[in-house]
C-alpha cells in the first residue's frame, strides 16, 4: 500500500524518534530470552502450581507495561480529538486497568513484588510522545505502542505454553487477548507503517539491563493502582477474567 509523504513524515519524525523506536522491542525480547535460557528454576511451590523465575518475570513485565501505556492512554484522551484516537485511549485505559487488577491479585497470592514505576526506557517512551504535538503526537504514540505490543507476543506465547502455575496461565490468556485488541485499534488509526514496525520488532538492539528493568518499589510504599475510569466501567474490549474481580460487561453495552 502506498504511503503518503505526510503520513510517513509524521510517523517517524527525526533521528531521535527512530532510535527510540529501534529500542522498543528489546524488553519483550529480553523476556523471551530469559524464559528460554533456563529461568525454569522453581522459586515457590503454591496451591496454584509451581512458580518459576520466568513466571515471576512475566507478571512484573505485564505490570510494567501498564505503568507506561496507561499514562499514555490518558495523554491521548486529553490531547486527541479524532474518534480513532479516542477509541485507542479507551482500550488502553480499560485493558491495562483490568490487567493491572490481575497483576495485583496474583502478586498477593504468589508473593511477587511489583514495581510502581516503569523502566527508564519505558519512561522515555512516554516522554518522547509527550514532547510532540498534534498529528506528530498521535503518530508517535501509535507507532511506539504498536512496536511494543508486537514485540510482546512471543513472551506471552512462551509463558502460556510452559507455565505450570494456573494463575500465571490465566494472566497470559488475558494479556494475549488484550494485546491483540490493542494492536487492532492501533492499526485502525491508519497511522501504522507496517514495514517499519516489522523491522523494529525483528531487529532490536541490545540495551543495558538497568535501562530495561523497572526499579523496585520503595520499602513500605503502597502498590500503585491503575483504575478503570468510572465512565468506562462497562466499556467492552476483551471479555474480563472474573478471577481478577473485573466488572462484568453491561448487557446493554454495544
Amino acid at each position: 500500500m502506498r504511503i503518503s509523504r505526510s503520513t510517513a513524515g509524521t510517523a517517524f519524525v527525526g533521528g531521535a524518534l527512530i532510535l527510540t523506536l529501534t529500542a522498543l522491542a528489546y524488553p519483550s525480547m529480553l523476556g523471551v530470552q530469559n524464559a528460554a535460557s533456563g529461568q525454569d528454576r522453581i522459586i515457590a511451590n503454591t496451591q496454584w502450581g509451581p512458580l518459576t523465575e520466568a513466571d515471576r518475570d512475566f507478571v512484573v513485565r505485564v505490570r510494567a507495561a501498564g505503568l507506561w501505556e496507561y499514562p499514555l492512554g490518558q495523554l491521548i484522551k486529553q490531547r486527541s480529538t479524532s474518534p480513532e484516537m479516542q477509541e485507542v485511549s479507551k482500550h488502553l485505559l480499560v485493558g491495562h486497568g483490568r490487567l493491572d487488577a490481575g497483576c495485583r491479585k496474583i502478586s498477593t497470592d504468589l508473593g511477587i513484588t511489583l514495581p510502581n514505576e516503569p523502566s527508564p526506557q519505558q519512561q522515555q517512551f512516554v516522554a518522547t510522545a509527550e514532547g510532540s504535538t498534534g498529528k506528530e503526537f498521535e503518530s508517535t504514540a501509535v507507532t511506539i505502542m504498536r512496536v511494543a505490543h508486537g514485540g510482546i507476543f512471543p513472551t506471552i506465547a512462551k509463558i502460556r505454553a510452559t507455565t505450570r502455575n494456573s494463575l500465571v496461565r490465566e494472566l497470559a490468556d488475558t494479556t494475549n487477548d488484550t494485546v491483540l485488541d490493542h494492536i487492532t485499534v492501533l492499526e485502525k488509526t491508519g497511522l501504522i507503517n507496517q514495514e517499519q514496525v516489522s523491522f523494529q520488532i525483528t531487529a532490536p538492539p541490545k540495551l543495558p539491563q538497568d535501562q530495561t528493568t523497572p526499579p523496585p518499589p520503595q520499602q513500605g510504599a503502597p502498590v500503585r493502582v491503575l483504575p478503570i475510569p468510572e465512565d468506562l466501567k462497562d466499556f467492552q474490549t476483551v471479555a474480563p477474567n472474573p478471577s481478577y474481580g473485573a466488572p462484568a460487561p453491561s448487557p446493554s453495552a454495544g
Side-chain angles (χ1 to χ4, degrees):
M1 181 177 69
R2 186 175 181 182
I3 301 172
S4 68
R5 283 185 294 177
S6 61
T7 300
T10 56
F12 297 95
V13 180
L17 175 57
I18 293 175
L19 290 175
T20 299
L21 294 175
T22 303
L24 272 165
Y26 180 67
S28 59
M29 295 307 294
L30 176 64
V32 177
Q33 293 162 1
N34 284 346
S37 64
Q39 273 200 315
D40 56 352
R41 183 177 71 87
I42 296 173
I43 58 176
N45 286 298
T46 77
Q47 68 185 79
W48 300 276
L51 181 73
T52 66
E53 289 189 7
D55 294 334
R56 179 182 59 191
D57 181 69
F58 177 70
V59 176
V60 169
R61 287 177 183 279
V62 174
R63 163 74 169 179
L67 290 172
W68 74 272
E69 292 176 31
Y70 185 96
L72 198 49
Q74 292 176 312
L75 270 177
I76 292 171
K77 183 178 182 180
Q78 296 166 6
R79 292 189 179 187
S80 299
T81 58
S82 73
E84 293 81 8
M85 292 300 293
Q86 284 298 310
E87 191 73 5
V88 166
S89 172
K90 292 176 183 178
H91 283 250
L92 288 172
L93 295 176
V94 173
H96 282 293
R98 287 176 178 161
L99 281 179
D100 185 66
C103 287
R104 286 184 284 109
K105 182 180 185 303
I106 287 177
S107 71
T108 299
D109 291 337
L110 300 180
I112 298 173
T113 301
L114 295 179
N116 272 334
E117 299 294 337
S119 72
Q121 186 194 40
Q122 292 167 334
Q123 294 178 39
Q124 184 58 48
F125 298 159
V126 178
T128 299
E130 192 172 17
S132 55
T133 58
K135 286 296 182 182
E136 180 184 336
F137 164 74
E138 293 181 351
S139 58
T140 299
V142 165
T143 304
I144 286 175
M145 287 186 291
R146 177 60 182 85
V147 174
H149 282 77
I152 195 66
F153 263 137
T155 303
I156 302 170
K158 180 68 177 180
I159 291 295
R160 181 61 180 83
T162 61
T163 185
R164 290 180 286 161
N165 188 285
S166 61
L167 293 185
V168 175
R169 190 177 303 120
E170 289 175 6
L171 180 63
D173 285 339
T174 306
T175 303
N176 184 77
D177 292 342
T178 302
V179 168
L180 182 58
D181 171 72
H182 289 178
I183 286 176
T184 301
V185 295
L186 288 168
E187 290 176 343
K188 285 181 178 179
T189 64
L191 299 174
I192 302 295
N193 181 328
Q194 295 286 5
E195 291 185 4
Q196 187 66 48
V197 165
S198 295
F199 173 77
Q200 308 300 342
I201 293 173
T202 57
K206 290 189 176 182
L207 298 176
Q209 188 175 359
D210 62 352
Q211 292 298 303
T212 62
T213 303
Q218 293 184 352
Q219 187 173 4
V223 177
R224 180 180 171 189
V225 175
L226 306 180
I228 299 175
E230 286 296 326
D231 62 328
L232 296 178
K233 290 288 187 180
D234 296 326
F235 182 76
Q236 293 190 59
T237 54
V238 297
N241 189 322
S243 299
Y244 300 158
S250 168
S252 61

